[in-house]
């Protein structure tokens, strides 16, 4: 067996053993136990904490417990910085483990929807990393490994992760600090705790609020391909029927709903009111207008394809033409029906 293969085998065995050990001792992973370990470490406590955080990230241990502990023991700003250092180091380690353990295999075997998804992620680069760090809908530990399977540059991944994880680290460290102060009888602790919860809630819902105020998040054609691969979206082409089936064609599986008819037929999109609609036109003018109209009627999570069908065609992506029947809204073929 080649040395590289032996190294990957050893890494895989070590990772499985570490995961098994972490799972077997998960009940001992608590804020009280961490505080006891770190208090006894003296001056080495910050270094030990960063090492524990990094290892915990690789082994799928909950980072929120660690960040709360950091705020309680080290204070708000030091605790946030130590947590950020540990989380970033752990994210990089998990990224590298995935890249070197399975990256080559995925590159050889990836095809179909998986290939489209990876291409879309790589096209967005650091912007995709920033998105998944800011939006708390994606499991942090899982994302670290998943991104290691792409060809996103390590430096861009690490920098975007560190910058975009800082607000959350501050909020959780603040909450942990306030909790310890409350136990110590600080009269201002409850107020500080409520402020910390408000900051954490704001960070959690900020992306959705931004989408509501900015009708139509711009995405690239590559990202549309990735969304199609993941499924569960409706691609709405707002051009007239003659353009939809004209020389430029349309995105396969797209629904033709002309901008002039959109207001009268808006109820047909009711099941997609909260998320899942991607709007496209020849460029991006009419799709932007459609996004603003839908936003006024309570739709959220709207996406507009930057450059429209022209940008799609420039990348050589397939199109459907007049010979391909349009997909009815009620029988959308791009994924599961959005409840």
């Amino acid at each position: 067996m080649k040395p590289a293969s032996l190294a990957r085998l050893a890494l895989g065995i070590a990772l499985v053993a570490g995961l098994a050990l972490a799972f077997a001792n998960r009940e001992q992973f608590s804020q009280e136990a961490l505080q006891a370990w770190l208090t006894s470490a003296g001056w080495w406590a910050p270094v030990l904490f960063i090492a524990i955080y990094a290892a915990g990230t690789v082994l799928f241990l909950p980072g929120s417990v660690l960040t709360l502990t950091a705020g309680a023991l080290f204070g708000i700003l030091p605790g946030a910085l130590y947590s950020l250092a540990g989380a970033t180091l752990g994210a990089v380690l998990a990224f590298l483990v995935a890249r070197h353990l399975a990256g080559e295999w995925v590159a050889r075997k990836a095809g179909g929807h998986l290939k489209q998804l990876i291409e879309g992620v790589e096209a967005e680069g650091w912007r995709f990393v920033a998105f998944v760090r800011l939006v708390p809908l994606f499991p942090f530990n899982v994302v670290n490994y998943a991104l290691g399977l792409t060809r996103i540059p390590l430096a861009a991944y690490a920098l975007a992760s560190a910058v975009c994880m800082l607000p959350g680290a501050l909020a959780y460290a603040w909450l942990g600090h306030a909790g310890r102060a409350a136990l110590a009888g600080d009269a201002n602790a409850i107020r500080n705790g409520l402020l910390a919860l408000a900051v954490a809630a704001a960070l959690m819902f900020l992306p959705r609020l931004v989408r509501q105020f900015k009708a139509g998040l711009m995405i690239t054609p590559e990202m549309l391909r990735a969304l199609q691969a993941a499924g569960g979206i409706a691609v709405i082409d707002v051009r007239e029927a003659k353009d939809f089936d004209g020389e430029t064609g349309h995105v396969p599986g797209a629904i033709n709903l002309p901008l002039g008819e959109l207001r009268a037929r808006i109820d047909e999109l009711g099941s997609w009111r909260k998320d899942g609609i991607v709007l496209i036109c020849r460029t991006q003018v009419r799709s932007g207008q459609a996004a603003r109209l839908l936003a006024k009627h309570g739709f959220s999570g709207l996406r507009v394809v930057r450059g429209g069908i022209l940008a799609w065609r420039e990348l050589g992506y397939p199109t459907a033409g007049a010979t391909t029947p349009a997909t009815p809204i009620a029988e959308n073929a791009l994924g599961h029906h959005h409840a």
Side-chain angles (χ1 to χ4, degrees):
M1 185 177 292
K2 296 180 179 179
S5 299
L6 286 173
R8 282 194 290 270
L9 178 61
L11 179 62
I13 293 174
L15 180 61
V16 171
L19 289 170
L21 183 63
F23 181 79
N25 295 278
R26 64 191 183 282
E27 295 182 357
Q28 300 179 23
F29 188 76
S30 64
Q31 188 170 351
E32 294 75 15
L34 286 169
Q35 288 181 355
W37 296 340
L38 295 171
T39 301
S40 63
W43 289 99
W44 288 98
V47 177
L48 178 60
F49 174 80
I50 292 172
I52 291 174
Y53 206 127
T57 300
V58 174
L59 299 176
F60 291 88
L61 295 177
S64 56
V65 174
L66 289 159
T67 311
L68 289 170
T69 302
L73 287 181
F74 305 117
I76 298 173
L77 184 57
L81 293 178
Y82 297 153
S83 297
L84 183 63
T88 303
L89 178 59
V92 168
L93 290 174
F95 178 92
L96 291 174
V97 167
R99 174 160 291 184
H100 293 290
L101 193 63
E104 293 181 3
W105 182 86
V106 170
R108 291 195 305 268
K109 300 294 184 180
H113 287 178
L114 177 59
K115 184 178 181 181
Q116 292 177 15
L117 184 61
I118 292 175
E119 287 175 351
V121 171
E122 291 171 352
E124 291 299 305
W126 68 268
R127 290 182 294 273
F128 185 86
V129 178
F131 176 72
V132 298
R133 296 309 188 202
L134 288 171
V135 180
L137 300 176
F138 302 89
F140 171 67
N141 295 329
V142 174
V143 165
N144 297 329
Y145 283 97
L147 291 177
L149 300 178
T150 71
R151 291 189 293 272
I152 294 177
L154 175 60
Y157 165 82
L159 182 59
S161 294
V163 171
C164 295
M165 288 191 298
L166 178 57
L170 284 168
Y172 278 99
W174 189 1
L175 189 59
H177 180 74
R180 181 169 184 174
L183 292 176
D186 188 341
N188 297 320
I190 296 179
R191 182 189 63 186
N192 292 335
L194 291 175
L195 286 173
L197 283 173
V199 172
L203 290 170
M204 184 175 296
F205 292 105
L206 179 60
R208 182 171 293 275
L209 292 174
V210 170
R211 287 199 299 269
Q212 291 176 349
F213 281 103
K214 181 183 177 183
L217 175 68
M218 285 288 181
I219 64 171
T220 62
E222 295 94 337
M223 195 61 189
L224 172 57
R225 290 266 286 180
L227 290 171
Q228 282 185 303
I233 65 168
V235 180
I236 308 297
D237 193 314
V238 297
R239 295 176 295 162
E240 297 298 324
K242 61 182 178 63
D243 299 318
F244 182 75
D245 287 327
E247 60 178 350
T248 58
H250 56 265
V251 175
I255 301 162
N256 186 212
L257 187 53
L259 180 60
E261 302 176 17
L262 183 58
R263 189 183 299 274
R265 299 175 58 186
I266 205 166
D267 290 341
E268 297 178 35
L269 301 174
S271 60
W272 303 91
R273 184 170 294 274
K274 292 185 178 181
D275 202 0
I277 292 180
V278 178
L279 297 156
I280 190 170
C281 62
R282 179 179 175 82
T283 55
Q284 61 194 44
V285 177
R286 278 179 286 180
S287 51
Q289 294 173 355
R292 289 189 288 273
L293 175 62
L294 291 175
K296 289 179 181 179
H297 284 78
F299 286 78
S300 62
L302 302 167
R303 302 173 182 88
V304 173
V305 180
R306 184 185 295 115
I309 193 66
L310 295 181
W312 177 274
R313 287 174 59 89
E314 285 180 2
L315 294 171
Y317 292 155
T319 57
T323 57
T324 303
T327 305
I329 293 177
E331 299 176 4
N332 179 21
L334 292 182
H336 60 77
H337 192 268
H338 211 67

